[in-house]
Each structure stands twice: as structure tokens, then as C-alpha cells.
């Protein structure tokens, strides 16, 4: 999703750093290697323990999705469906086979191939919905991993602070060291809260939107595939599929093809 | 929704300010630019990171809805439907086309145009429900953004307080400055709590009600459109649609048309 | 719901007051006008901002329901249905019209009138279910308002405590005043917790039960109305409707009409 | 369910008491009548305010269920169903009437009587499902009461601690009494946490399992009643009903009747 | 699920221990027998009170599942189904009986035996879905127990800390012992947090994934069994069942049998 994830995370950090200097602090006060080990190391170890090795190492790729541009443009998806529907109408279902091989989108190609093969409509629907369900549960696992980072971050932050407090309180020979010991103890809580609120929560939110977009996109494709198979009128198919889109996205194409459709005032 | 959002937020601030002065404080104690930067800046950066740029910049417009008057009057919606149903009965479906062009409401006009075009009833229902679903998910995204402000506000407030505490505890040369350092540290928590409880939660609650009203309004319209298409009796349609309304709204029109309908005792 | 709400709230307050005196305190320590302004005023302002003016001013009436006796007696509701079913069986549907006018309960009368008017059964069901749905969503809004009082109470309590702490820490010239300043700061948290736990949570719980009772009562009536329209045997209707009731309520009438029905051992 | 509830609660208390003595404390430190009044009294008053008087006084009976042995043995339930199915097959439905009177279980007897009376299968299903629904909502109210004890316990514990702190901070003439005042204030939090974690949460968990067992048991009976009415083969009925059981329960009877059914490896 | 659970838990502990030494502490500071008794003992007693004795003693076995390798390979499951479908096609349903006895998987064998016995398809579906439902509710109970460990751990940790604080504050003769008393009090909170975040949460997460895998595996088998009974084409069955799999798993077999199926770019 565009540049906003990276930019937002950076800006949030900038605001925090400004707050540190403005308040009379310096970066040194907030950088503590042992706190990093406990908070980041512990959080990652917890996530590692919670998922399979394969899922864990897919984490950078999963989180990377939140930093990428939207891939699923429903308008162009509808255009492809309408084109295919026109071909199916004029040249018959079999003519779709040739075109299907040019389709990059795996989901759409699979659906069209099932239609070309003359698969029973009910079965096409079942197969493609199972496919969608498996995509959705993959997304949920990905978002779940990022959300667990957001839950374990503050937890290991608190564990680190408890470690720091117990050490500090156990070594209270030098009361003058109390302040710096307490400050050091709080740094892991600080790190844990950053992990959750600056990194994990925004990324998880973006991933959910990205998943919603992909699922909506593929539901539109599936609706289109089934409509093509049912031999529906391409214009009706177009109108039906556009109903799935949010208004903002709908406006653009409407103006382009200038069909005099209703506009909101 | 009326004036209550703005008024309520202002009154809540007034009560807090009264509390400040009554307790012997002054506004200066509670105004701290660096705290504003961390809390408000950080919260907005977090929301920016969580949504697409377009969604983020729609935030003022979305939040503005909570300060506006209700737009969706179901009673007048039902009246329009009944009028259309009468026309359809007396002059036929095609007579609706002319009238449809006078309708401002996009949703209703689209539905009536589908009926005029002789679209299959099942398809009209599917298209209009997809439209409703897309409206609903747009609303959910809007409310979700405001709710995330309410979640990130206190989180960045706590981050600011941690920054303040770490700086204060790290610079404990001057014990006399402890109090003011601690006070300054707490201000971000104060700001974060205000962002959540005085601003975000009331607005999100209003947005949910506004969304519920719009969806109910459009569900009534959809029910009406389908009933018109099915050629139902306009009086039956009216009675059916009124059942969707809360009692308070129902009372008024009942008295007007004086149909001797049941009144609650 | 009986006297228990008022009694319970009073007893809870008595226990808290006993705790105050027993612990060596006095009521003066716990009464602070500025804390009342912040906590109660702020909470109400927040609720005011969250709902429409009309909904807000219905709040006393909504909360009052929790202090009233149960109005919906399903057993007498079933008796009315059975009486009507007998009339419908013996004298025909039209004979119900006269009786319907004697029914106080709006919901039941409306349903019977629809049946008398010869409305299509499917339509009767739709209309009455829409009616039920609108009642349910009205209840949910009412309970939601009380629950928001329970959420905003502690939030404004914390805001008041933060205000008190910031003032106290900012004026630390006189360390001897620290204790009383801290005590004063904590009073708003105390008030906020009372608003939530002694008042809002019990009332919201009662409102949910009251709503559940009313919905169950009206679902039974609806089931009865539909059965009457279907011309079912009054004895079968009675048995069916009794199945919806909790056992405790069922026992009583069973003994009265001594039908030798099964009793739990 | 068995002895484990009582035993578990006692063991948990024993561990807490061991911790008290091991840490150098004594029971006297932790027993404070005014704390008991605030925490336990306040919690019960809050629950009293939240439910009807009848529901409140049923609380000991409801909580007692968690300490009793399981009453619902699905295997013997299935055996009764199979016996009845055999009778119905060989001697006809009417022969069931005699047997039905010997059945203790109200739910099963009611279902069988409906079948014997020649009630329409769809109606039998509706009546018995309404019955099940009313049992389930009764259970939910019971569990809800115990869960509210678990929620109000810590809340009144915190209220008590706030009372203690406010009194202590308001009477800070004698700094040496600070420690004991603070200790006393914390006792209500301690009690509240015990109410929730040692008593309410385990009991609520057990009640949910007990409810699940009873509902499953009665769903099996209902499935069996409907199968008998449909005149299904007793052996098929047995096999079908066994599918509802968890594997562990299934193993036992399998070995007994030695039908060579599949065993897990 | 592979080695990751054990490894992750160990690594998390290593990070915590590194943090202890790095911060100037030693293991002795963090090992306290009485804290272990309160936290671990209390948590286990609470879980014991919440479940039946049988369920409680199954806990080590349930938790062990999180440390084992995945047992359910859907690809080989699909292969078995396809093999059986081919046999059923070529040699008839009865030929399956012989093969069924060679199947280790109880669920699959039971389903095939039902098909061989000529059970009605609807009934096969009902029985196998009841079986699946009972497996799922067994899993939920297992995960629920681990989650309750995660909830009671911090609760008993806090109870232990309260005990420590009350003792410490009650014995404040020696202010120099305050630090070590406080440190000791915090150790139970530390243990409770470890129980929840390092042990219970990762294991519960793994158990949920393991349950999801087993359910998906058996749903695929069930879909396959019903397709075999319906006499569907083995190739269609294979394609349909593969749709249930996540893409990653699908890739491998696709390459093997080199059917030129669509690959994602």
C-alpha cells in the first residue's frame, strides 16, 4: 500500500526522537543493547515458538506486503472479465481457452480453465470458494503473526523492566544509583511499546486492508467467472461487478466511459 | 448528528478546565508543546502508517460526519417509495423512469433504474446488496480509523511519559526538579487519554450510529424497490416499511395521517 | 426488575461507607465538589457527545427500566394467545378483530390485525420480525449508552487524577501537602470506579436481561400469531409456546392446570 | 464435576497460605474484617443489583453444580435411545408410551411423549429445540452471574484500596503508620483477586463445561428421538449418536460390545 | 510442529538470562522457592479446579502436541482418496472394503466403511460431521486449558506480589530491608509473566494451528469420501481437494506430477 507505511513509521519515530531531545534527553539514554536483546530477541523467540519454522521465516515477506503498493485493481479485473464475457458470448466458451493462457492472475486463469473444461457450475463454485478460503486463512495466519509481535513486544518489555527492578532493588547499597537503575529498567517497556504501537499495529492494520482488498478482488473475479459460465449478458455482468466496489473507485471509470450513470451530489 | 457532538466535546473540555483551576492549577501547567508533538503527532503518524494515503486524508471528512445533522430521514424515504409504488401500479413500471431522474438519492435511483430496465428481481437484489455491502465496509474503515486514533492516543501518551521518566530518572542530580519532571512526563498520558476519551470514542460512537441509520435507511429503500418490482400493494408496502422504524419515529407520521393505528400506553 | 437494583446499589454504597469509617476515615475525605464536576460532568458530556440529543435525554427513562418490575409475563401472554386461538378455531379469523381491540400490548394487536386483514403469512412474519428487530436495536442503543457511562466514568476519573497529580507535582514547594494532594487526586479515580462498578455495570446487566425477557416474550407472541394464522390446534400451540419458557416459570402453571405433565426430580 | 473443583480451590488456598508464612508473614496480617465487608459485601451487592432477587438467591445452587459429579452420561443416554428404537421398531410407536413413563429424564420423556402423540416431526423438532434453547439461556445466565462475581471482585478490591489510600494519605501526620496503612489498603485488592482467580474463574469454567455436557447430551437425545420418529434402523441410530461423543468416551463401550470398530493407533 | 516450539521457548529463556547477567544480576536473585510454589502451584491448582481430573491429567499430553512434528499431511491424504476413488470407479464400492482395513487413519476408515455399507449419503455426511465437531470441541478444551494457564499465571503472580508487599509494608521496622522485600515481591509477577508469555501463549498458538491443520485435513478427507460415494471422476476429486490447500503446499506436488498447472509469478 503505497509509501504510507514506511513514511508513517519513520515520522512516528521522528516525533519520538524530537520529544527525547526537547525534553532534555539524548539518544544515548534510550539506547541500551541488553534491553534490545531482551525485548526484540524475546519477542522474536516467542513468535518463533508459536509458529512453524517455515511460517516464521516467511515473516519478513509477510510484513513486506504492508510496505508495497496495492496490486489488486478491481477495475482492471472487471475489464478482463467483461472482455472474456464478450468472447464467450460471441465465440463460445472454448474460445476462452486461448485467452486464459494469457492471464497472469492464477486465480482467474484457474477459474476460466474450469469453465472451459465444462466443469459443473456448482463444482466450479465449490472449488473456487475453497481456493478463496485457503487464501483467506493464509492471510489470517500472516496477520496473526504480526499481531503476536504486537502482543509479545510489551510483554517482554515488562519482563525486562521486572528484571531491571529486581536487580536494582536487590542491590540498593547505593541509593544514588536508584534513578539510573530505574531509568534503565523502563527502557525495555519503552521498546516493547514501540514494537507494538509504532511497528506491529500499523503493519497488522495494513495487512488486514490488503487482505480485504485481495479477497474482494477475487470475489469479484469469482462472481464474474460464474456469470460468464451462466452465459449472462456482459453489460449486466459489468454493472453487477461494479456494485461490489467502493464509490470512490467507481467514480473514475464512470467518467471515462461516460455512460451517464448516477453521480452523488 | 445535530449539535451534540461538538457541544459534548466542548462541555467535556470545560469540565476538565474547571477541574484544573479548582484544583489550584493553571492552563500553563497543562500546555506543553513537546507533549503535543509526541502524542498528537505520533498518533497521526501511526494512523498514517496504518491506512493508505487516500484514506488518511479522508479522515477530516469522515470525522466531520459525526458533527453534521442526520441526512437520512426514513419517513420521507418511505413516502418516496409509496409514491413510486402508486405510479408503478397505475401507470406501469416504465412510468417510473421519468420520476427516477428526479431522485437525488443515488442508491434509490440506481435501484429504480434496474427495475425499469426489467432486470431480473434476483439480480436487482444481488446488485443492490453488493452496493449496500460496499457502503457498509467503507463505513467500517472510517470508524476503524477513528477507533485507531483512540487506541494509539493513549499508547503514544504512555510512550511520551516513558521518555519523560527515563530522562528525569537519568538526570537525578537535582532532586528538587523531580516533581516538575514527573509532572511534565504525565502530561503526555493526559493528552493521550483526552484524545481517546473526549474525542475519538464519542466520534466513533456517533459514526457507528450514523452508519446504522444510513444502512437501515437504504435497507428500507431496497425492501421498497423489491416490493415495487414485485407489484405489491402500496399500502402493504408502507406498512411493511414502517415496521423497520423505531417506535419514536413511527409515532409522528401515525398521528399525521390519523389512521387510528395502535398507540403504546 | 423488582426492587433488587435499587437495593443492591444502596447496599453496595453502605458497604463502601462502612469501609470508610472502619478504616478511620470520614465522609468529608471522600466528598470533593471539583472531583464530582470532572468525573460525573465529564462522563455525561462524553455520553452527550456520543449520542443524539434525543437519545441522551432518554437516558433517565432507559436507566429507570432497570429499577422497575418485570412487565412481560410470558405465561399470561401464552394464555392470551391460546384464548385467541380458540376463538379463531371456533368463530373464524374475523371474530378476532373485535378481541384484538381489547389487547393492550401493541405488538400483539398489530400482529392479530395483520392476520385479520388476511395478510399473507410470509408477509406477517416479515413485518413482525422487522418490528422485533427494531425493538432489539432500540434496546441495544439504550444498553450501549449505559455501558459507555461505565467506560467513560473510570476514564474521566483517571483524567481527574492526572490533573491532580500534575498540579501537585508542579507545586511541590510544600512537601507536607503531598499526601493530601495525592489523596485528592485519587478521589476522581474512586468516583469513576463507583460510576462504573456500582452503577453502570449492574444497570446495564439488568437492562440486558430486561431486553432478553421482552424479546423472548414477543417472540413467543409472534410464534403464537403465526400458529393462529396457520390454524393450528390451540393445545399444540400452548405446548409449543411453553417450550420457550425457562423451567422455573413453567412449573407454576403446570401445577395449576394439573395436566400431569412431567416434573423434574 | 467430581471432586476437582473443591480440591483445586483448597490447594490454591494452601499454596497462597504457604507463600504467606514462607515470606515471613502470618495469617493475622491478611485477615481484615473491614476489607472483607468492602470486597465480598460489595461484590455480592453488585451482583444482587445486576440480577433479579430470584436469580441472585439461586446463586449458591448454581455454583454448587461446579462441585458435583457429572450427571449426564451420554453412553447410557444412547443405550436408552437404542432400546426405545428397538421397541418402536418391533412393537410400534404406541408401545413407547408405557416405557416413556419409566424415564426419569424430563427432556427425553417429553420428546418421546410428543412422538407417541403422533406430533408432526417438524413440530417435535421445533418444540424440543425451543426447550434446548431455554435450557441453554438459563445456563448462560448462571455462568454470567459467576463471571460477574469475577469482574466485580477485583473492582471492589480496587475501590477498597482507593478508600485505604485516600484515608492514609489524608492522615499523614504519622509517617511511621504509612507502611501499615498501605498494607491494609492492599488487602482488599488481594481479596478481590482471590475472589476472581481462585473462586469465580474456575467455577465459571466448570459451569461452562457442565453446560456443554448437558447440551450435548440433550442434543444426542433429540437426534435420537427424531431418528426413532423417522423409523430409522436402531443400529444406524446407535452409530450416528456415537459420532457425537469425544473419542475417550467412545473407546470404553467399543471394547465392551467388541464390535471390532476402528481403534486409533 | 517441528522443533520450533522447544527451540523458541529455550531461546526466549536464554535472552532473559542474558538480560539478567548483563544488567548486573545473577540467577540467585531470580530463583525463589516460595515464589515458585505460589505462582506455579497456584496456577496449576486453579486449572485443576477448572477442569475435570481426567482433563487435567491429559494436560502434559495436550501440551506435548505443540512440541511434535505435524502428523497430518494433506497431500498424502489426497493421494489416498484418489487411489480409493480409482478403485471405487473400476472395481465398485465393495472393493473398497478390503482396502479400508489397511487405512491407519481412523476417521478415513470409518467414513469408507460407512460408504461400503451403503449408508445413505446424507447420513454419512451427518455422522462424519458430528465426528469432526467432537474432534474440534476436544481441541478447544485442550487449547482452553493452556490459555487458562496463561491467564492464571499472571494472576497468581500478582497475588504473590500482593502477599510480598503486604508482609513487607507490615514489617517496616527495618527500612533497609525494603528494597530486597520489594524485589522478592516482584519475583512472582516475573514468574507469572513468564508462564503466560514464554510458555502458555506460544503453546496455545501452536495448538490452534495444529488443530486447524487436523480439521482441514479431515475436512478434505470427508469431502473426498462424499465425492467417492457420489461416484465423481477421480481427476475432478483431486482438483477439488487441492483447492483446499494453501498455495505453498500445492506447489510441490504440482511440480512432481508436472501437469503444467498455473504457477504464480
Amino acid at each position: 500500500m503505497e509509501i504510507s507505511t514506511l513514511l508513517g513509521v519513520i515520522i512516528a519515530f521522528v516525533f519520538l526522537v524530537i520529544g527525547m531531545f526537547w525534553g532534555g534527553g539524548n539518544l544515548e539514554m534510550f539506547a541500551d543493547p541488553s534491553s534490545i536483546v531482551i525485548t526484540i530477541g524475546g519477542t522474536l523467540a516467542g513468535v518463533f515458538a508459536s509458529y512453524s519454522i517455515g511460517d516464521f521465516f516467511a515473516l519478513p515477506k509477510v510484513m513486506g506486503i504492508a510496505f508495497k503498493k496495492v496490486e489488486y485493481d478491481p477495475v482492471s479485473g472487471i475489464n478482463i472479465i467483461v472482455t472474456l464475457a464478450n468472447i464467450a458470448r460471441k465465440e463460445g466458451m472454448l474460445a476462452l481457452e486461448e485467452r486464459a493462457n494469457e492471464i497472469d492472475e492464477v486465480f482467474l486463469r484457474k477459474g476460466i480453465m474450469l469453465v472451459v473444461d465444462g466443469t459443473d457450475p456448482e463444482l466450479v463454485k465449490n472449488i473456487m470458494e475453497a481456493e478463496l478460503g485457503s487464501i483467506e486463512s493464509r492471510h489470517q495466519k500472516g496477520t496473526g503473526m504480526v499481531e503476536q509481535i504486537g502482543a509479545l513486544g510489551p510483554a517482554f518489555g515488562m519482563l525486562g523492566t521486572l528484571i531491571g527492578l529486581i536487580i536494582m532493588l536487590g542491590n540498593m547499597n547505593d541509593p544514588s544509583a536508584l534513578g539510573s537503575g530505574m531509568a534503565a529498567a523502563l527502557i525495555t517497556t519503552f521498546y516493547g511499546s514501540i514494537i507494538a504501537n509504532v511497528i506491529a499495529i500499523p503493519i497488522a492494520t495494513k495487512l488486514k486492508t490488503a487482505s480485504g482488498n485481495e479477497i474482494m478482488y477475487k470475489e469479484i473475479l469469482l462472481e464474474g467467472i460464474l456469470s460468464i459460465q451462466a452465459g449472462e449478458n456482459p453489460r449486466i455482468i459489468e454493472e453487477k461487478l461494479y456494485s461490489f466496489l467502493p464509490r470512490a473507485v467507481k467514480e473514475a471509470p464512470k467518467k471515462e466511459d461516460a455512460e451517464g450513470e448516477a453521480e452523488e451530489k
Side-chain angles (χ1 to χ4, degrees), chain A:
Chain A
M1 320 230 127
E2 306 156 309
I3 196 70
S4 69
T5 317
L6 188 61
L7 214 65
V9 170
I10 291 174
I11 295 173
F13 269 108
V14 168
F15 282 134
L16 291 175
V17 170
I18 289 176
M20 289 175 194
F21 285 106
W22 205 331
N26 53 57
L27 280 184
E28 215 177 300
M29 278 176 168
F30 294 90
D32 180 44
S34 81
S35 299
I36 291 177
V37 165
I38 293 181
T39 322
I40 300 186
T43 301
L44 290 180
V47 175
F48 185 75
S50 304
Y51 291 91
S52 74
I53 293 183
D55 288 339
F56 179 79
F57 286 112
L59 195 50
K61 202 182 148 197
V62 167
M63 291 176 78
I65 293 166
F67 293 91
K68 277 191 207 134
K69 199 134 178 47
V70 193
E71 278 175 70
Y72 298 97
D73 175 12
V75 171
S76 74
I78 293 176
N79 288 341
I80 297 174
I81 289 288
V82 172
T83 311
L84 294 172
N86 276 316
I87 293 169
R89 268 240 150 163
K90 289 175 198 149
E91 313 172 28
M93 290 295 170
L94 292 178
L96 288 175
E97 186 160 22
E98 203 178 327
R99 281 311 194 87
N101 291 323
E102 298 164 18
I103 302 170
D104 286 346
E105 167 67 42
V106 184
F107 184 82
L108 178 55
R109 188 169 59 221
K110 179 170 182 181
I112 294 296
M113 289 313 293
L114 285 171
V115 170
V116 170
D117 291 352
T119 319
D120 181 68
E122 195 58 31
L123 189 56
V124 173
K125 205 182 165 199
N126 287 349
I127 291 180
M128 298 312 281
E129 281 179 350
E131 187 88 34
L132 258 182
S134 118
I135 292 172
E136 211 163 358
S137 74
R138 176 164 51 86
H139 289 178
Q140 278 167 3
K141 186 184 273 177
T143 315
M145 279 198 284
V146 179
E147 286 177 331
Q148 198 166 33
I149 290 179
L152 289 181
F156 277 89
M158 201 194 78
L159 278 169
T161 297
L162 284 168
I163 290 177
L165 286 177
I166 291 170
I167 292 174
M168 181 195 82
L169 293 164
N171 288 330
M172 259 182 32
N173 319 325
D174 178 14
S176 71
L178 214 92
S180 64
M182 185 87 186
L186 284 179
I187 287 177
T188 54
T189 292
F190 181 65
Y191 286 173
S193 182
I194 285 179
I195 290 175
N197 295 297
V198 182
I199 296 172
I201 290 176
I203 289 180
T205 308
K206 271 256 162 94
L207 287 180
K208 271 182 208 157
T209 311
S211 167
N213 285 342
E214 184 175 340
I215 297 297
M216 186 190 77
Y217 178 69
K218 289 190 173 161
E219 274 173 349
I220 290 175
L221 292 184
L222 174 51
E223 191 71 34
I225 292 164
L226 295 175
S227 298
I228 291 174
Q229 187 169 29
E232 287 177 14
N233 184 316
R235 267 207 40 71
I236 297 286
I237 295 178
E238 185 174 17
E239 178 138 34
K240 184 164 66 174
L241 299 188
Y242 266 110
S243 304
F244 286 93
L245 302 187
R247 183 112 340 153
V249 182
K250 259 178 279 191
E251 296 299 306
K254 256 193 270 173
K255 277 166 200 154
E256 277 169 31
D257 55 21
E259 291 188 15
E261 213 180 298
E263 272 167 284
E264 204 156 15
K265 278 155 203 200

